[in-house]
Amino acid sequence: MTTMFDTFNQRIQSFVSEPKNRRLLLGTGSYSTPFRGTLFGCSDSVDVAKHLASERADILWLGANPNVDRSVRKILANDTKDTDEFDSFLRQAHSGRYAEQVWDKAGLPSVGWDPIGKPVGSWSVYAELLGKVGRADRVAMANVIPWGSSVAKDFWKPLGQVDAELLDRLLRFSDELNTEITLALRPKLIIVPKSLGESPETRRMGIAASRARNLKAHTVKLSRTNFQFSVGQVERGGQPWSVAYLPHPSALRLEKEDRVTIVEQARAVLSSVLAR
């Protein structure tokens, strides 16, 4: 059974296989498939698709891009004989699994990095928050950009210097794919890292904060600083979607009591959005 997730992966494969985009293929690996973790408690794409036939995700958390520096290095090096990364993408794309997997020595897959289900570091704050705003098993995590390092500018800036047109195509493709993902999951709330929503490179994308309507800022006072986020609406596929722009987990430096404060106060705001 072919699912929407197979279609998303095929879209990426077709895009990087075009001669004008082939540089990207060299840095396209298993991490370039969009999703992470599980959804509806399922790891098989067929099972997730069955749920989506009658249900919708509560929250779609959008990561900026994979935290894989070698993806950047290989794209910039442009060694056309180096296709090892793409082999791992094909394995992942043909696995029938919803999200990126890791394979053991026997060739058996298991769920890879799961920032919501098995959070580490500051991700635990958002895992707790989102699990109280919606149902934890209905929180989806997908990357907007399928390529690059954890710091977007470390990829976008050098790529723009060597091939500005490719960077433009990459961003337009990512925006289109993100729209398709949104329409498929129908989330009640989209969460975008502030750094991504406010980046100059993403200003033409539908998730850009500058494009959001009725954007309202919120401040949570902490022990030494403030936790600032905003809530509004963006248009995806001709439809309005509720969106929240939150600091990326890597930007959080919190005291223990701050975590409790963020969860309590941000929960009240975000829960009211889901209740609309």
Side-chain angles (χ1 to χ4, degrees):
M1 175 182 174
T2 301
T3 70
M4 62 195 75
F5 305 104
D6 296 310
T7 301
F8 297 149
N9 291 330
Q10 182 58 54
R11 290 267 282 117
I12 295 171
Q13 181 178 346
S14 297
F15 181 71
V16 300
S17 296
E18 294 179 32
K20 61 185 178 181
N21 301 327
R22 194 167 176 80
R23 176 191 286 264
L24 294 176
L25 182 147
L26 307 174
T28 300
S30 61
Y31 47 78
S32 297
T33 53
F35 296 93
R36 300 293 183 266
T38 61
L39 185 56
F40 302 111
C42 303
S43 57
D44 287 337
S45 59
V46 170
D47 293 334
V48 177
K50 287 179 180 177
H51 278 278
L52 287 172
S54 58
E55 304 173 71
R56 58 190 295 200
D58 282 350
I59 298 168
L60 172 59
W61 171 280
L62 297 178
N65 48 24
N67 186 5
V68 182
D69 288 332
R70 70 177 182 276
S71 174
V72 177
R73 293 196 302 269
K74 289 176 178 286
I75 290 171
L76 296 177
N78 200 25
D79 181 355
T80 57
K81 296 180 180 180
D82 183 5
T83 60
D84 290 347
E85 293 294 296
F86 194 59
D87 289 341
S88 75
F89 171 82
L90 294 176
R91 183 185 193 185
Q92 171 65 44
H94 297 156
S95 69
R97 309 287 272 191
Y98 158 73
E100 185 188 15
Q101 304 289 295
V102 293
W103 278 265
D104 61 20
K105 293 181 179 179
L108 298 176
S110 60
V111 176
W113 182 57
D114 186 357
I116 304 300
K118 296 180 179 179
V120 295
S122 294
W123 277 101
S124 60
V125 179
Y126 285 136
E128 182 180 358
L129 171 62
L130 302 186
K132 291 184 176 181
V133 171
R135 280 179 43 178
D137 65 340
R138 296 193 183 197
V139 178
M141 194 280 184
N143 286 322
V144 174
I145 311 294
W147 310 273
S149 64
S150 58
V151 181
K153 66 179 181 180
D154 290 346
F155 174 41
W156 296 344
K157 184 176 180 179
L159 180 61
Q161 290 173 341
V162 298
D163 194 336
E165 292 183 355
L166 176 58
L167 175 60
D168 185 64
R169 291 194 300 272
L170 177 158
L171 293 172
R172 282 190 281 111
F173 169 80
S174 298
D175 192 36
E176 292 168 2
L177 183 64
N178 179 253
T179 298
E180 294 171 13
I181 288 173
T182 302
L183 293 175
L185 271 59
R186 308 187 308 282
K188 299 175 184 177
L189 173 66
I190 299 172
I191 294 182
V192 180
K194 287 181 64 178
S195 55
L196 180 66
E198 297 174 358
S199 170
E201 285 83 2
T202 61
R203 64 187 182 279
R204 287 177 291 174
M205 300 179 75
I207 57 170
S210 60
R211 290 174 173 261
R213 301 193 303 270
N214 304 318
L215 196 62
K216 183 178 180 180
H218 297 269
T219 299
V220 177
K221 293 185 177 180
L222 304 177
S223 56
R224 298 183 180 181
T225 184
N226 292 328
F227 178 85
Q228 298 178 319
F229 67 103
S230 56
V231 176
Q233 282 190 330
V234 293
E235 183 177 303
R236 303 268 71 195
Q239 301 179 41
W241 304 86
S242 295
V243 62
Y245 298 92
L246 273 64
H248 192 279
S250 64
L252 300 180
R253 301 291 184 270
L254 305 173
E255 303 293 337
K256 186 175 181 180
E257 60 270 22
D258 292 337
R259 295 170 179 256
V260 176
T261 302
I262 289 174
V263 170
E264 290 180 349
Q265 296 190 29
R267 175 190 180 185
V269 175
L270 299 182
S271 293
S272 67
V273 175
L274 258 70
R276 293 173 186 170

